[in-house]
PDB file of all heavy atoms in Angstrom:
ATOM      1  N   LYS A 642     -50.501  22.761 -15.741  1.00 98.00           N
ATOM      2  CA  LYS A 642     -51.774  22.135 -15.357  1.00 98.00           C
ATOM      3  C   LYS A 642     -51.607  20.619 -15.243  1.00 98.00           C
ATOM      4  O   LYS A 642     -52.045  20.003 -14.267  1.00 98.00           O
ATOM      5  CB  LYS A 642     -52.814  22.446 -16.435  1.00 98.00           C
ATOM      6  CG  LYS A 642     -53.684  23.630 -16.124  1.00 98.00           C
ATOM      7  CD  LYS A 642     -54.836  23.129 -15.303  1.00 98.00           C
ATOM      8  CE  LYS A 642     -55.983  24.074 -15.196  1.00 98.00           C
ATOM      9  NZ  LYS A 642     -56.991  23.578 -14.261  1.00 98.00           N
ATOM     10  N   SER A 643     -50.944  20.027 -16.252  1.00 98.00           N
ATOM     11  CA  SER A 643     -50.860  18.562 -16.278  1.00 98.00           C
ATOM     12  C   SER A 643     -49.961  18.043 -15.162  1.00 98.00           C
ATOM     13  O   SER A 643     -50.087  16.890 -14.751  1.00 98.00           O
ATOM     14  CB  SER A 643     -50.369  18.078 -17.645  1.00 98.00           C
ATOM     15  OG  SER A 643     -48.996  18.380 -17.779  1.00 98.00           O
ATOM     16  N   LEU A 644     -49.050  18.877 -14.675  1.00 98.00           N
ATOM     17  CA  LEU A 644     -48.180  18.448 -13.580  1.00 98.00           C
ATOM     18  C   LEU A 644     -48.845  18.609 -12.214  1.00 98.00           C
ATOM     19  O   LEU A 644     -48.241  18.304 -11.179  1.00 98.00           O
ATOM     20  CB  LEU A 644     -46.868  19.238 -13.602  1.00 98.00           C
ATOM     21  CG  LEU A 644     -45.921  18.907 -14.772  1.00 98.00           C
ATOM     22  CD1 LEU A 644     -44.762  19.908 -14.835  1.00 98.00           C
ATOM     23  CD2 LEU A 644     -45.384  17.486 -14.634  1.00 98.00           C
ATOM     24  N   GLY A 645     -50.065  19.081 -12.208  1.00 98.00           N
ATOM     25  CA  GLY A 645     -50.803  19.170 -10.950  1.00 98.00           C
ATOM     26  C   GLY A 645     -50.574  20.453 -10.174  1.00 98.00           C
ATOM     27  O   GLY A 645     -50.894  20.519  -8.989  1.00 98.00           O
ATOM     28  N   TYR A 646     -50.016  21.466 -10.833  1.00 98.00           N
ATOM     29  CA  TYR A 646     -49.929  22.775 -10.178  1.00 98.00           C
ATOM     30  C   TYR A 646     -51.299  23.428 -10.132  1.00 98.00           C
ATOM     31  O   TYR A 646     -52.083  23.294 -11.092  1.00 98.00           O
ATOM     32  CB  TYR A 646     -49.041  23.720 -10.997  1.00 98.00           C
ATOM     33  CG  TYR A 646     -47.557  23.550 -10.860  1.00 98.00           C
ATOM     34  CD1 TYR A 646     -46.846  22.795 -11.777  1.00 98.00           C
ATOM     35  CD2 TYR A 646     -46.859  24.205  -9.851  1.00 98.00           C
ATOM     36  CE1 TYR A 646     -45.468  22.663 -11.684  1.00 98.00           C
ATOM     37  CE2 TYR A 646     -45.480  24.085  -9.760  1.00 98.00           C
ATOM     38  CZ  TYR A 646     -44.789  23.320 -10.670  1.00 98.00           C
ATOM     39  OH  TYR A 646     -43.439  23.207 -10.574  1.00 98.00           O
ATOM     40  N   GLN A 647     -51.589  24.155  -9.081  1.00 98.00           N
ATOM     41  CA  GLN A 647     -52.669  25.125  -9.135  1.00 98.00           C
ATOM     42  C   GLN A 647     -52.117  26.259  -9.997  1.00 98.00           C
ATOM     43  O   GLN A 647     -51.135  26.907  -9.633  1.00 98.00           O
ATOM     44  CB  GLN A 647     -53.024  25.623  -7.736  1.00 98.00           C
ATOM     45  CG  GLN A 647     -53.525  24.505  -6.819  1.00 98.00           C
ATOM     46  CD  GLN A 647     -53.809  24.982  -5.409  1.00 98.00           C
ATOM     47  OE1 GLN A 647     -54.449  26.002  -5.204  1.00 98.00           O
ATOM     48  NE2 GLN A 647     -53.333  24.235  -4.415  1.00 98.00           N
ATOM     49  N   THR A 648     -52.736  26.444 -11.139  1.00 98.00           N
ATOM     50  CA  THR A 648     -52.125  27.251 -12.195  1.00 98.00           C
ATOM     51  C   THR A 648     -52.849  28.575 -12.373  1.00 98.00           C
ATOM     52  O   THR A 648     -54.078  28.621 -12.347  1.00 98.00           O
ATOM     53  CB  THR A 648     -52.174  26.452 -13.519  1.00 98.00           C
ATOM     54  OG1 THR A 648     -51.534  25.188 -13.319  1.00 98.00           O
ATOM     55  CG2 THR A 648     -51.483  27.198 -14.643  1.00 98.00           C
ATOM     56  N   GLY A 649     -52.057  29.620 -12.567  1.00 98.00           N
ATOM     57  CA  GLY A 649     -52.638  30.932 -12.826  1.00 98.00           C
ATOM     58  C   GLY A 649     -52.188  31.471 -14.162  1.00 98.00           C
ATOM     59  O   GLY A 649     -50.996  31.458 -14.479  1.00 98.00           O
ATOM     60  N   CYS A 650     -53.145  31.932 -14.967  1.00 98.00           N
ATOM     61  CA  CYS A 650     -52.808  32.680 -16.182  1.00 98.00           C
ATOM     62  C   CYS A 650     -53.349  34.098 -15.983  1.00 98.00           C
ATOM     63  O   CYS A 650     -53.730  34.460 -14.872  1.00 98.00           O
ATOM     64  CB  CYS A 650     -53.383  32.008 -17.424  1.00 98.00           C
ATOM     65  SG  CYS A 650     -55.175  32.044 -17.531  1.00 98.00           S
TER      66      CYS A 650
END
Side-chain angles (χ1 to χ4, degrees):
K642 264 273 195 186
S643 72
L644 290 170
Y646 281 96
Q647 298 177 47
T648 304
C650 68

